[in-house]
Amino acid sequence: MGTMKAVVFKGKDQIALEEVPKPIPGVGEALIRITATTICGTDVHIVRGEYPVKPGLILGHEPVGVIDALGPGLEADYTVGQRVIVGAITPCGQCFYCLNGVHSQCGGGLGGWKFGNTINGAWAEYLRVPDARANLAPIPDALRDEDVLLCPDIFSTGLSGAESGNIRVGDSVAVFAQGPIGLCATLGARLKGASLIIGVDTIPKRLEMSRQFGANVTLNANTVDVVDTIKELTDGRGVDVAIEALGRQETFERALRVTRPGGTLSSLGVYSGKLVAPYDALYAGLGDQRIVTTLCPGGKERMRRLMAMIVCRRVNLSPLVTHHFALDDIQQAYDLFSHQADGVLKVALYPNRADVPANVTRKPEFVEAR
Ligand SMILES: [Zn+2]
Ligand SMILES: [Zn+2]
């Protein structure tokens, strides 16, 4: 049996590059050779022990690769050598939740999230993909790996914040936190036709990026009273839709305070501990506000749609990929990302060192083709 390199979760604050058995795909499964992957804020929660995952698991849930082997039953649909991405969420398409339309909750709460959570993930040379027919999404020839690297999770999740918020043409929207997911939520608000889009963060560079991704007003939460300012910008009412993209009590609470009566708080953040909704922000529970939560939509049709937006130049996410590392240098990449050093937004990881682009100096460019 062959072996492969993989990054294994060893317990709180410990990851290690190890040689592990190369997986063999079973019925309905595929094996893909990973050509690029990335680190998510959720991986940092896992490594810090804030979200429980069993030690020994290979982490990572954002795969870009090439089909290396197909299990029985897939020959008619796919070919070895085909370039594919797989969503971070891999629904089975057949269970109670999938057939009720909530694919991300496949099999039960958060159950659609399998890679790097309940089964081995993408920080490896090879990845076994369950329910491959529902999940392998061919990459259009025109796109490079890096163009689609953020589709499996970040773009899908950020955009879903705008979709779940049911943003209508002309809506006012505030997006709390402008990290990679918040920026994609801002982009989503623009795609959904919002008029006023307010990006909130504390890092000036991220606020600058927020304007590129579609915000027409940005607020630095360290220098202004965000709630008062947003009320002023919306005739005292608050926004139609507030999107929370950080997962902290203070951002949740601010988002709620600026959600107008009858408006929607669309929550994407990963919270830990207790989350409190003050009665006044909730209009004593009588404000006709909606609070919706969303886990990243996955499956191959979602991935196809996201890649179609990139092929047709409606969006360009490559400015978000700020750093590039070989998978062998995972510790260095993880340290940089988890400390938000050097203006990092997303790091690309390449199992094959030769794929790491040399001398990358990517200037931020416009994001949405006009
Ligand atoms: Zn993620
Ligand atoms: Zn299912």
Side-chain angles (χ1 to χ4, degrees):
M1 191 167 57
T3 62
M4 66 172 186
K5 274 185 307 197
V7 180
V8 177
F9 175 57
K10 305 298 282 181
K12 193 172 178 307
D13 294 324
Q14 276 179 53
I15 49 174
L17 189 71
E18 293 186 349
E19 202 68 23
V20 302
K22 179 178 167 182
I24 297 165
V27 175
E29 296 178 338
L31 188 68
I32 65 173
R33 176 171 59 80
I34 299 290
T35 53
T37 183
T38 174
I39 305 176
C40 178
T42 306
D43 299 314
V44 178
H45 282 297
I46 292 171
V47 175
R48 287 179 177 162
E50 294 159 2
Y51 178 90
V53 155
K54 268 212 306 273
L57 202 74
I58 300 169
L59 298 182
H61 51 260
E62 297 164 276
V64 180
V66 173
I67 298 176
D68 186 73
L70 294 166
L74 293 167
E75 304 82 359
D77 300 279
Y78 296 101
T79 53
V80 169
Q82 217 174 351
R83 297 172 66 223
V84 290
I85 60 168
V86 183
I89 303 301
T90 48
C92 74
Q94 307 183 44
C95 71
F96 170 90
Y97 291 95
C98 284
L99 293 173
N100 273 293
V102 278
H103 303 97
S104 299
Q105 310 301 326
C106 174
L110 306 189
W113 173 32
K114 297 166 189 168
F115 292 142
N117 180 25
T118 55
I119 65 173
N120 281 331
W123 291 358
E125 285 180 286
Y126 295 92
L127 173 71
R128 182 164 56 184
V129 179
D131 302 299
R133 191 178 277 127
N135 288 297
L136 292 181
I139 302 171
D141 288 341
L143 300 182
R144 304 166 306 157
D145 288 356
E146 198 176 305
D147 297 327
V148 297
L149 179 60
L150 303 190
C151 291
D153 182 358
I154 302 307
F155 184 30
S156 188
T157 301
L159 183 59
S160 77
E163 292 169 312
S164 296
N166 250 324
I167 293 174
R168 299 190 306 158
V169 170
D171 269 354
S172 54
V173 177
V175 185
F176 288 81
Q178 294 291 281
I181 286 179
L183 287 168
C184 286
T186 299
L187 179 60
R190 176 150 146 189
L191 290 168
K192 294 279 282 177
S195 50
L196 175 65
I197 302 175
I198 304 162
V200 183
D201 205 289
T202 55
I203 301 172
K205 204 160 171 101
R206 293 189 171 198
L207 294 173
E208 191 186 307
M209 196 67 106
S210 175
R211 289 188 285 274
Q212 288 179 47
F213 272 67
N216 28 33
V217 176
T218 53
L219 302 178
N220 187 328
N222 282 343
T223 59
V224 297
D225 184 313
V226 170
V227 173
D228 286 354
T229 310
I230 291 177
K231 289 269 177 82
E232 277 163 33
L233 288 166
T234 53
D235 296 326
R237 287 194 296 264
V239 289
D240 300 305
V241 180
I243 300 175
E244 203 285 348
L246 190 62
R248 299 234 179 100
Q249 173 66 34
E250 72 253 31
T251 40
F252 175 82
E253 196 171 318
R254 281 182 193 146
L256 187 61
R257 288 188 186 283
V258 301
T259 300
R260 68 161 169 82
T264 301
L265 194 177
S266 176
S267 176
L268 296 173
V270 181
Y271 303 96
S272 45
K274 204 185 261 181
L275 190 61
V276 179
Y279 85 99
D280 56 324
L282 257 188
Y283 298 89
L286 307 173
D288 286 324
Q289 293 150 308
R290 294 191 318 134
I291 300 177
V292 291
T293 68
T294 316
L295 173 60
C296 172
K300 69 178 179 187
E301 170 58 8
R302 174 72 169 181
M303 293 301 115
R304 184 196 67 77
R305 284 173 177 270
L306 299 182
M307 289 189 287
M309 294 300 283
I310 299 170
V311 166
C312 294
R313 300 180 64 82
R314 295 290 177 197
V315 301
N316 170 14
L317 303 173
S318 51
L320 292 177
V321 182
T322 50
H323 293 72
H324 304 73
F325 291 91
L327 186 66
D328 292 353
D329 301 328
I330 180 73
Q331 194 63 56
Q332 201 187 338
Y334 177 83
D335 290 344
L336 177 105
F337 182 78
S338 62
H339 292 108
Q340 295 189 2
D342 195 30
V344 65
L345 285 165
K346 288 290 275 186
V347 301
L349 297 171
Y350 304 88
N352 181 358
R353 189 178 287 277
D355 292 339
V356 180
N359 190 26
V360 187
T361 45
R362 184 182 292 281
K363 239 183 33 225
E365 42 191 315
F366 76 92
V367 168
E368 189 181 347
R370 282 150 223 264

